Amino acid sequence: MILLDGKIISEQVKAEIALEVENIKRQGGKVPHLVAILVGHDGGSETYVANKERSCIQVGFRSTVFRFEDTITESKLLYEINLLNNNPDVDGFIVQMPLPKHISEQKVIEAIDPKKDVDGFHPLNVGRMTIGMPAYISATPDGIVELLRRYKIETSGKHCVVLGRSNIVGRPISNLLSLKGYPGDCTVTVCHSRTKNIPEITRTADILIVALGQAEFVTANMVKEGAVVIDVGINRIKSETTKSGWKLLGDVKFDEVAPKCSYITPVPGGVGLLTIVSLLKNTLKAAKKEIYG
Ligand code: NDP
């Protein structure tokens, strides 16, 4: 069994990006600039944005955070987004979710210029990805694809079972893996809460991607010998054995599933670590005008 190590891969990709930024600087080019909009004071969002800022600095990007109180009106936020859309100094930006209830997240996503939508949530980017056109791909599916590529995992003709059909994980990854060419060409089955006989289906998977949000849902008897298992789930569970009083569990019962796998991601330390890297990759593409010219 080989561990798909998100830490090693994320450091590798960051080093490659940092090298490219160095070259851009040396040639007198513009350093990529990522802006994050943060509304309110949600602890999780503060942490995510701080991590993003740290990673930007690590690779040599410029990073700016625009903070607004959670009393900001929807129209004022849309106005600020429009300013960023038209600011040539900003290559890409993200609006950290969740937003306060009085603001429509969908309206916000659709207000972002697709050319600067480095989160890859705009319907134009989602649509372009779906038909295999160049697009900003959102962080989690892109992170999974990065792991498959870096570990040179064969996908052509494989049966890939995806557990979960959310718009941010299950749906896009099932789509990407069925596209023509590497790392696609899979035969993909998508399962969700209405699917019957999930264990019967997962036992036929060469590649099993689990994004349910159900701690340790996948057990050894649900996995084929030699399968590649990618666990996206992050579940914060109360624990009496840790100092903090909680622990992180994936959607896969790692200890009993791992010995059956050819490759498996740990939680934490797997897919999650690659999500910020995907944002950095997209920002570099935005600065280089790689997607839309
Ligand atoms: P959602 O809650 O949006 O979607 C969960 C999906 O799983 C749904 O399609 C749902 O089916 C399906 N599902 C839930 N329970 C069952 C069940 N018992 N049997 C079959 N299907 C089920 O979750 P997300 O996709 O946003 O996230 C999934 C997990 O991944 C979470 O643990 C989340 O924290 C984690 N995550 C991790 C990231 C990372 O960076 N590593 C990034 C994003 C998410 P239905 O559609 O029918 O309701």
Side-chain angles (χ1 to χ4, degrees):
M1 180 274 291
I2 296 173
L3 211 58
L4 296 168
D5 192 322
K7 192 163 171 20
I8 291 177
I9 301 302
S10 65
E11 291 307 323
Q12 248 177 38
V13 183
K14 276 197 232 173
E16 289 165 13
I17 294 174
L19 199 66
E20 216 171 311
V21 175
E22 269 306 308
N23 284 336
I24 292 172
K25 276 189 194 163
R26 205 172 303 121
Q27 289 161 17
K30 181 184 169 299
V31 169
H33 183 196
L34 174 70
V35 170
I37 292 184
L38 182 55
V39 178
H41 300 277
D42 175 76
S45 296
E46 294 267 5
T47 309
Y48 285 133
V49 170
N51 287 341
K52 284 167 188 169
E53 253 194 307
R54 200 174 318 117
S55 300
C56 278
I57 292 162
Q58 213 183 333
V59 298
F61 286 2
R62 275 177 66 205
S63 165
T64 310
V65 181
F66 286 4
R67 292 171 180 273
F68 299 102
E69 288 303 322
D70 54 15
T71 49
I72 188 174
T73 62
E74 185 179 89
S75 56
K76 167 76 171 143
L77 184 59
L78 294 175
Y79 172 78
E80 294 292 338
I81 288 172
N82 195 40
L83 290 183
L84 290 173
N85 283 342
N86 291 301
N87 183 348
D89 186 41
V90 175
D91 297 299
F93 65 98
I94 61 158
V95 180
Q96 185 64 46
M97 305 289 172
L99 290 171
K101 291 216 161 28
H102 64 278
I103 298 174
S104 157
E105 292 188 348
Q106 200 51 37
K107 255 193 205 171
V108 164
I109 288 169
E110 289 182 35
I112 298 171
D113 181 344
K115 296 189 181 84
K116 295 193 177 186
D117 169 41
V118 287
D119 256 343
F121 291 150
H122 192 286
L124 186 70
N125 279 313
V126 176
R128 286 172 66 111
M129 176 206 70
T130 306
I131 56 172
M133 281 178 76
Y136 296 115
I137 297 171
S138 58
T140 310
D142 186 65
I144 296 170
V145 164
E146 188 74 54
L147 276 177
L148 294 173
R149 276 185 201 281
R150 296 271 167 168
Y151 281 87
K152 298 186 170 59
I153 290 171
E154 183 56 82
T155 56
S156 178
K158 302 290 180 192
H159 183 208
C160 175
V161 174
V162 179
L163 297 187
R165 59 175 167 184
S166 72
N167 287 342
I168 63 162
V169 192
R171 177 85 48 216
I173 192 61
S174 53
N175 196 275
L176 283 170
L177 291 176
S178 67
L179 286 175
K180 240 186 200 330
Y182 188 75
D185 289 333
C186 285
T187 305
V188 179
T189 304
V190 183
C191 302
H192 44 77
S193 64
R194 303 298 173 96
T195 305
K196 294 192 168 70
N197 297 327
I198 287 181
E200 226 167 79
I201 299 168
T202 56
R203 276 195 287 271
T204 67
D206 302 307
I207 301 174
L208 178 61
I209 299 181
V210 194
L212 299 171
Q214 305 284 332
E216 299 189 323
F217 180 93
V218 173
T219 49
N221 64 341
M222 294 169 71
V223 177
K224 180 165 93 173
E225 201 70 48
V228 176
V229 174
I230 300 199
D231 187 357
V232 183
I234 302 176
N235 306 283
R236 213 175 137 112
I237 303 292
K238 277 192 181 153
S239 165
E240 285 169 9
T241 59
T242 61
K243 237 190 198 168
S244 60
W246 55 268
K247 62 179 172 182
L248 289 184
L249 288 180
D251 286 349
V252 173
K253 207 163 190 175
F254 185 88
D255 290 346
E256 63 174 61
V257 172
K260 291 187 84 173
C261 299
S262 53
Y263 295 88
I264 187 168
T265 55
V267 176
V271 176
L273 291 176
L274 286 162
T275 54
I276 287 180
V277 163
S278 300
L279 183 66
L280 299 176
K281 278 165 56 186
N282 281 346
T283 304
L284 184 62
K285 283 181 187 160
K288 290 164 68 184
K289 306 208 178 330
E290 244 179 60
I291 307 283
Y292 288 95

